[in-house]
């Protein structure tokens, strides 16, 4: 303690410290808003992850939930009451203390349409999707916050670790009004300083942070739209770290001692969906044959340049209910050919894809051509249709496709967040479909509904196992890959770890002394 | 006098026609472009909510009343808010406009100088080979993709040689020093800050060099064509016979002769130049309206795209009208010399 104090003073005085204690991270796009309750893009979340914190959080590098701004929590046996005991001595960046009252602000504003911070233009989509079972948020004692639920929701604790549940100071509303969406006031290791839209976001160390002191004086998030330029900036030391680089370029950096490559953010998967309303795809032999004909390892190797893993379940590894070993999706073009005997294709099947890179498909057009070649080899004629991402999304959500490539990036690490969204019949409404296979199976829906309210983990696990068996039998979509997020840092930046959720946490990052 | 008056009326009518047709095209384009920005705003799609937002924004009203509202909002400065960032569009657009204006002015000025220089220098040599050079500049400048050229520029100037920054307008995290005009070169001069002026120029060199290639090509090809035409040849012989020196011949007489066509050409190519600026801004991380518009289109950010396009349309129409007037004004004396 004493040594740390002396060391801390000693460091603060040096002239070189100013230059050394700045971290610059570049990405392809700017943050959209800096309001945890009203964003859904990685660029915004990665800034907020330094500024804001939640009651609980995902433990570093895992999907395990650990208490964070709450020092402990209790869930009632019926699963209807969640009680959080808050940590003492935590202050928001505006100096106000963390109490149950101030913690409740972040939730009440999303929940109550009459709340002054429930801005008319804001969307609060995650509240509707993940937190809708919350009936009331109550201040039980000055440091005790309680959530009351309409029905049990086994995913709620994990949802409370995600960014829409991160806390912001109620004082931000008084200070900035609607501008709080551009001025995050959290409790995190760094505080917000300034934002030049399209250029930079500047954060500085929060000297009154309740946890370990942050390693940098300032963090700057910079926008460099062009991937190749971002790579050059990294090679020339203009920036310390970057994401969104082309996997092929990152492979070249992996053997370079000046850089460290982190692979993380595997809480996603890219898939091929069959529109079950298309007659030829309603034939289970055709779906089975397509699954057998696709060489998923080749997709990872060629389509993703190795930045991922072949997927054999519609759930990423480590998720509840997902069997550990390899799934039952072999590559067997011979068997595919045999299955198709007698099936006549009077027109090529359309395969819709898109042009913008996503974490699960860095080059979706290349993935589509690989699949087309695989399928044509077993006698299935395929025509690839490629659109930009927004047009593609509109088309597939309306069910205008036959086969389509798409993916999903999970929010809270719970199986329900994948299976209900992508395969539940509630999501199969043309026009706003998230279930773009338009798979409607009452038995499957019933299993998921039971798993949602089950409070016993092994019971939930068994239900999801059953659901996965149904998925395999009906095969409404074929999982292809689990994409990897690639983050590259200059080798002298330490204390960084990759998270399955894909969020970048820099609270523990620092710069090694060796170069000085 | 009546001829000039008639010409003025023609210019006015033409400008009005461009604005009306152009604004309808903008209006229809942002509405029929595939991909519904409102429905796509949520990962968890919600058709009912999207319909409610659409009606709140007046997007379910008849097209004519929407069009009138669009024009009214544009001129009253009520440009709405970005559906993605929630920021007012007008504020953000004009905050970035200076950056784009600085880039485009640089591109036009430098490009015109290069175009004129190349043609006149080549014209000074009698060899066929040298006379082919302007042609090459013209072809290359019209064909080479700016995107590729920008990357090559950053790779050589920034990475290999290390003498130019790799994009942006100022050092990362430093105060850009943008002031009243939003043009860093002008703002720094107004403050009398020479160091900041040089820094701003330093950041301008590569993107302006890339952007200037297109106007250079336009100027070179037009100038070259004019020099080769018969009328010019006759004038030339007459001037040389009068004893006019080679420099004076080109910089005064020939340039004056070509000025109207050059102005007209740059005026009509202004739109293409804006398009070039959009690409240049993206490659060079230049925080202007071009990259703003690109993001808007990708996100289907309706009001952002609509009002930005209307403003650019207005700018293009005004530049065209101005170049019209300027051409006619320049046209008088140059015709008289012949």
């Amino acid at each position: 303690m004493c040594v740390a104090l002396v060391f801390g003073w000693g460091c603060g005085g040096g002239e070189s410290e100013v230059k050394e204690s700045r971290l610059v991270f570049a990405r392809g796009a700017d943050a959209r808003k800096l309001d945890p309750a009203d964003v859904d893009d990685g660029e915004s979340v990665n800034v907020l992850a330094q500024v804001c914190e939640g009651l609980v959080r995902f433990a570093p590098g895992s999907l395990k939930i650990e208490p964070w701004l709450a020092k402990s929590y209790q869930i009632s046996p019926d699963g209807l009451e969640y009680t959080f005991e808050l940590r003492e001595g935590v202050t928001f960046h505006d100096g106000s203390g963390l109490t149950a009252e101030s913690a409740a602000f972040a939730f009440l504003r999303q929940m109550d349409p009459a709340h002054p911070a429930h801005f008319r233009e804001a969307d609060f989509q995650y509240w509707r999707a993940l937190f809708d079972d919350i009936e009331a948020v109550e201040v039980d004692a000055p440091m005790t916050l309680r959530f009351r639920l309409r029905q049990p929701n086994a995913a709620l604790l994990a949802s409370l670790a995600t960014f829409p549940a991160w806390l912001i100071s109620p004082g931000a509303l008084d200070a900035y009004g609607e501008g709080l969406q551009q001025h995050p006031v959290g409790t995190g290791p760094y505080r917000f300083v300034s934002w030049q839209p399209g250029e930079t976001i500047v954060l500085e160390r929060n000297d009154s942070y309740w946890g370990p002191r942050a390693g940098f004086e300032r963090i700057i998030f910079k926008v460099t739209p062009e991937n190749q330029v971002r790579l050059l900036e990294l090679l020339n030391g203009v920036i310390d770290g970057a994401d969104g680089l082309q996997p092929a370029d990152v492979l070249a950096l992996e053997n370079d001692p000046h850089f460290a490559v982190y692979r993380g953010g595997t809480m996603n998967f890219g898939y091929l969906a069959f529109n079950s309303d298309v007659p030829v795809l309603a034939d289970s032999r055709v779906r089975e044959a397509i699954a057998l004909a696709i060489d998923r390892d080749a997709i990872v190797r060629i389509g993703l340049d190795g930045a991922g893993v072949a997927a054999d379940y519609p759930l990423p590894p480590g998720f509840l209910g997902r069997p550990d070993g390899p799934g039952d999706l072999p590559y067997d073009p011979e068997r595919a050919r045999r299955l198709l005997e007698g099936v006549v294709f009077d027109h090529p099947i359309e395969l819709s894809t898109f042009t913008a890179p996503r974490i699960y498909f860095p080059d979706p057009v290349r993935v589509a051509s690989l699949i087309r070649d695989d399928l044509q080899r077993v006698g299935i004629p395929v025509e690839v249709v490629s659109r930009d991402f927004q047009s593609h999304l509109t088309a597939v959500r309306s069910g205008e496709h036959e086969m389509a490539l798409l993916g999903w990036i999970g929010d809270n690490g719970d199986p329900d967040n994948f299976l209900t969204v992508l395969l539940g019949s509630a999501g199969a409404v043309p026009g706003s479909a998230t279930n773009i296979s338009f798979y409607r199976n009452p038995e499957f829906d019933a299993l998921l509904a039971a798993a949602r309210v089950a409070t016993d983990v092994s019971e939930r696990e068994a239900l999801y196992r059953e659901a996965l068996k149904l998925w395999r039998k009906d095969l409404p979509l074929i999982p292809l890959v689990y994409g990897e997020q690639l983050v590259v840092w200059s080798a002298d930046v330490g204390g960084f770890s990759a998270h399955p959720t894909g969020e970048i946490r820099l609270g523990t990052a620092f710069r090694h002394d060796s170069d000085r | 006098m009546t001829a000039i008056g008639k010409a003025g009326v023609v210019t006015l009518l033409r400008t009005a026609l461009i604005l009306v047709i152009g604004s309808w095209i903008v209006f229809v384009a942002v509405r029929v472009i595939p991909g519904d920005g409102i429905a796509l705003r949520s990962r968890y799609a919600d058709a009912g909510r999207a319909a409610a937002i659409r009606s709140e924004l007046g997007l379910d009203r008849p097209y004519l009343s929407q069009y009138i509202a669009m024009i009214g909002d544009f001129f009253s400065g009520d440009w709405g808010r970005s559906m993605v960032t929630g920021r007012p569009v007008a504020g953000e657009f004009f905050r970035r406009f200076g950056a784009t204006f600085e880039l485009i002015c640089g591109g036009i000025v430098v490009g015109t100088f290069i175009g004129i220089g190349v043609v006149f220098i080549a014209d000074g040599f009698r060899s066929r080979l040298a006379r082919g050079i302007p042609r090459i500049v013209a072809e290359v400048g019209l064909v080479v993709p700016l995107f590729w050229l920008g990357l090559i520029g950053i790779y050589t100037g920034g990475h290999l040689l290390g003498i130019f920054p790799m994009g942006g307008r100022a050092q990362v995290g430093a105060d850009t020093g943008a002031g009243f005009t939003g043009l860093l070169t002008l703002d720094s001069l107004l403050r009398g800050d020479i160091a900041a002026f040089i820094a701003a120029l330093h950041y301008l060199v590569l993107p302006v060099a890339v952007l200037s290639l297109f106007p250079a090509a336009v100027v070179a090809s037009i100038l070259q064509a004019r020099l080769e035409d018969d009328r010019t040849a006759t004038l030339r012989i007459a001037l040389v016979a009068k004893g006019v020196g080679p420099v004076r011949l080109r910089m005064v007489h020939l340039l004056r002769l070509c000025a109207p066509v050059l102005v007209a050409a740059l005026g009509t190519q202004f739109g293409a130049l804006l398009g070039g600026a959009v690409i240049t801004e993206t490659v060079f991380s230049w925080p202007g309206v071009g990259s703003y518009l690109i993001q808007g289109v990708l996100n289907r950010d309706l009001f952002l795209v609509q009002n930005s396009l209307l403003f650019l349309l207005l700018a293009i129409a005004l530049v065209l009208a101005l170049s019209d007037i300027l051409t006619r004004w320049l046209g008088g004396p140059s015709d008289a010399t012949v």
Side-chain angles (χ1 to χ4, degrees), chain A residues 1-39:
Chain A
M1 175 72 190
C2 195
V3 177
L5 206 74
V6 172
F7 185 68
W9 280 116
C11 268
E15 176 71 26
S16 70
E17 173 72 2
V18 177
K19 194 171 157 235
E20 291 298 323
S21 68
R22 192 182 80 161
L23 184 77
V24 184
F25 185 79
R27 56 266 186 83
D30 201 1
R32 294 179 167 184
K33 293 177 181 176
L34 291 178
D35 177 353
D38 190 29
V39 294

Side-chain angles (χ1 to χ4, degrees), chain A residues 147-488:
Chain A
F147 296 89
R148 266 199 299 116
L149 274 61
R150 286 185 192 92
Q151 56 178 14
N153 181 333
L156 186 73
L157 195 65
S159 296
L160 286 171
T162 62
F163 58 87
W166 291 347
L167 304 186
I168 55 171
S169 167
L173 179 65
D174 308 322
Y176 306 111
E178 285 204 29
L180 83 75
Q181 297 207 298
Q182 283 82 32
H183 291 85
V185 182
T187 57
Y190 289 91
R191 66 166 81 220
F192 173 80
V193 177
S194 66
W195 186 359
Q196 286 278 323
E199 293 173 73
T200 50
I201 294 173
V202 180
L203 310 179
E204 69 179 15
R205 178 191 287 146
N206 170 15
D207 283 320
S208 45
Y209 185 51
W210 61 274
R213 182 180 148 92
F216 293 93
E217 202 76 43
R218 290 179 149 226
I219 293 182
I220 299 175
F221 288 91
K222 175 186 187 304
V223 182
T224 305
E226 198 30 58
N227 293 347
Q228 295 297 320
V229 176
R230 207 152 60 248
L231 176 68
L232 289 175
E233 286 180 332
L234 191 65
L235 292 175
N236 286 277
V238 178
I239 57 176
D240 301 298
D243 67 2
L245 297 171
Q246 288 299 309
D249 294 331
V250 174
L251 284 181
L253 292 179
E254 232 156 3
N255 299 319
D256 187 328
H258 297 100
F259 298 98
V261 176
Y262 293 85
R263 293 167 175 269
T266 48
M267 207 164 80
N268 70 81
F269 82 125
Y271 58 86
L272 173 72
F274 301 118
N275 185 345
S276 51
D277 295 339
V278 172
V280 67
L281 294 171
D283 184 338
S284 66
R285 283 175 305 167
V286 174
R287 296 199 303 273
E288 193 66 37
I290 291 175
L292 290 167
I294 295 176
D295 184 353
R296 300 190 330 285
D297 288 323
I299 291 178
V300 170
R301 209 171 52 242
I302 305 167
L304 278 74
D305 288 310
V309 185
D312 31 21
Y313 286 102
L315 285 180
F319 271 53
L320 189 69
R322 180 191 187 277
D324 283 332
D328 177 26
L329 282 177
Y331 170 53
D332 190 346
E334 248 340 287
R335 216 168 92 209
R337 235 172 256 134
R338 281 201 303 277
L339 264 178
L340 288 173
E341 273 165 29
V343 179
V344 181
F345 297 95
D346 49 8
H347 71 281
I349 304 180
E350 221 177 74
L351 170 57
S352 295
T353 187
F354 51 98
T355 47
R358 308 287 294 172
I359 181 168
Y360 37 82
F361 293 140
D363 188 345
V365 176
R366 210 192 304 170
V367 173
S369 347
L370 289 170
I371 292 175
R372 180 193 54 207
D373 295 351
D374 280 343
L375 297 188
Q376 287 185 334
R377 230 168 273 140
V378 299
I380 305 172
V382 173
E383 189 186 351
V384 173
V385 179
S386 159
R387 304 182 177 90
D388 77 307
F389 188 62
Q390 302 286 323
S391 311
H392 175 70
L393 214 50
T394 303
V396 297
R397 280 185 176 179
S398 322
E400 289 165 14
H401 59 292
E402 298 192 327
M403 295 191 292
L405 290 180
L406 200 60
W408 180 253
I409 303 169
D411 296 313
N412 57 6
D414 192 85
D416 188 62
N417 182 240
F418 276 74
L419 299 178
T420 297
V421 173
L422 303 177
L423 295 167
S425 47
V429 182
S432 62
T434 48
N435 168 359
I436 64 160
S437 306
F438 297 94
Y439 177 59
R440 302 175 188 93
N441 183 341
E443 201 186 331
F444 186 85
D445 291 340
L447 284 172
L448 290 184
R452 229 177 351 258
V453 297
T455 42
D456 179 55
V457 174
S458 56
E459 187 190 344
R460 294 191 78 208
E461 185 169 13
L463 289 165
Y464 286 126
R465 244 171 239 264
E466 278 313 301
L468 286 179
K469 277 184 196 148
L470 269 186
W471 154 76
R472 180 60 191 85
K473 183 169 134 288
D474 295 337
L475 214 59
L477 65 78
I478 305 176
L480 298 172
V481 293
Y482 304 120
E484 280 176 337
Q485 184 194 39
L486 301 173
V487 180
V488 185

Side-chain angles (χ1 to χ4, degrees), chain B residues 33 49 135 149 155-156 161 182 191 215 247 269 280 287-289 294 320 329 334:
Chain B
I33 181 171
R49 197 178 151 75
R135 204 94 322 137
L149 197 69
Y155 186 75
T156 48
L161 302 175
R191 278 200 317 270
V247 173
Q269 296 301 329
T280 311
V289 295
I294 287 285
L320 207 57
W329 181 71
S334 79

Side-chain angles (χ1 to χ4, degrees), chain B residues 223-288:
Chain B
L223 207 55
Q224 182 76 4
R226 201 77 212 247
L227 284 188
E228 283 168 6
D229 102 16
D230 289 342
R231 224 157 55 130
T232 318
T234 323
L235 173 72
R236 220 182 178 143
I237 294 165
L239 286 173
V240 173
K242 263 172 73 179
V244 175
V247 173
R248 195 179 151 74
L249 169 77
R250 294 186 177 88
M251 294 320 287
V252 176
H253 296 278
L254 292 184
L255 200 57
R256 195 198 280 167
L257 176 74
C258 300
V261 233
L262 283 183
V263 170
L266 284 175
T268 49
Q269 296 301 329
F270 181 69
L273 200 66
L274 272 179
V278 169
I279 297 164
T280 311
E281 282 181 10
T282 304
V283 179
F284 285 94
S285 318
W286 196 261

Side-chain angles (χ1 to χ4, degrees), chain B residues 10-242:
Chain B
V10 169
T11 302
L12 199 69
L13 282 178
R14 201 178 70 174
T15 308
L17 200 66
I18 290 174
L19 286 177
V20 170
I21 294 177
S23 60
W24 269 105
I25 292 176
V26 169
F27 176 80
V28 173
V30 297
R31 278 162 182 77
V32 301
I33 181 171
D36 182 335
I38 292 165
L40 293 177
R41 210 162 68 145
S42 297
R43 265 155 70 78
Y44 300 94
D46 182 338
R49 197 178 151 75
I53 294 173
R54 207 166 282 129
S55 125
E56 193 173 313
L57 294 176
L59 295 173
D60 53 354
R61 293 197 312 233
Y63 266 15
L64 188 64
S65 88
Q66 278 190 54
Y67 176 81
I68 293 168
M70 171 184 93
I71 300 294
D73 287 346
F74 175 75
F75 283 106
S76 63
D78 179 11
W79 289 16
R81 289 191 192 201
S82 159
M83 296 194 300
V84 173
T85 66
R87 291 176 195 273
V89 172
E92 191 57 23
F93 184 89
F94 288 106
R95 192 184 70 79
R96 289 164 176 261
F97 187 71
T100 300
F101 193 65
E102 191 164 34
L103 193 62
I104 289 187
C105 288
I108 291 185
V109 170
V110 172
T112 308
F113 269 104
I114 292 177
I116 293 175
V118 164
V119 171
F120 281 171
I121 289 171
D123 187 57
F125 293 98
R126 285 277 162 229
S127 84
R128 270 180 89 91
L129 190 72
R131 292 195 162 198
I133 289 174
R135 204 94 322 137
I136 294 171
V137 170
E139 304 272 320
V140 169
L142 294 178
V143 170
V144 170
L146 285 186
F147 180 77
W148 180 81
L149 197 69
L151 282 184
I152 295 291
I154 293 174
Y155 186 75
T156 48
H159 179 65
L160 290 182
L161 302 175
I163 46 177
F164 292 113
M166 300 187 160
R169 296 178 85 191
Q171 228 173 350
V172 180
D175 182 17
T176 55
F180 173 67
T181 67
L183 279 70
L184 297 190
T185 44
L186 205 57
D187 283 333
S188 57
L189 281 185
L190 288 176
R191 278 200 317 270
D193 186 345
I194 298 300
F197 176 72
I198 291 172
L201 277 186
H202 191 209
Y203 278 83
L204 269 168
V205 172
L206 279 183
V208 161
V210 168
L211 191 61
S212 67
L213 197 65
F214 179 74
V218 171
V219 167
S221 64
I222 286 184
L223 207 55
Q224 182 76 4
R226 201 77 212 247
L227 284 188
E228 283 168 6
D229 102 16
D230 289 342
R231 224 157 55 130
T232 318
T234 323
L235 173 72
R236 220 182 178 143
I237 294 165
L239 286 173
V240 173
K242 263 172 73 179

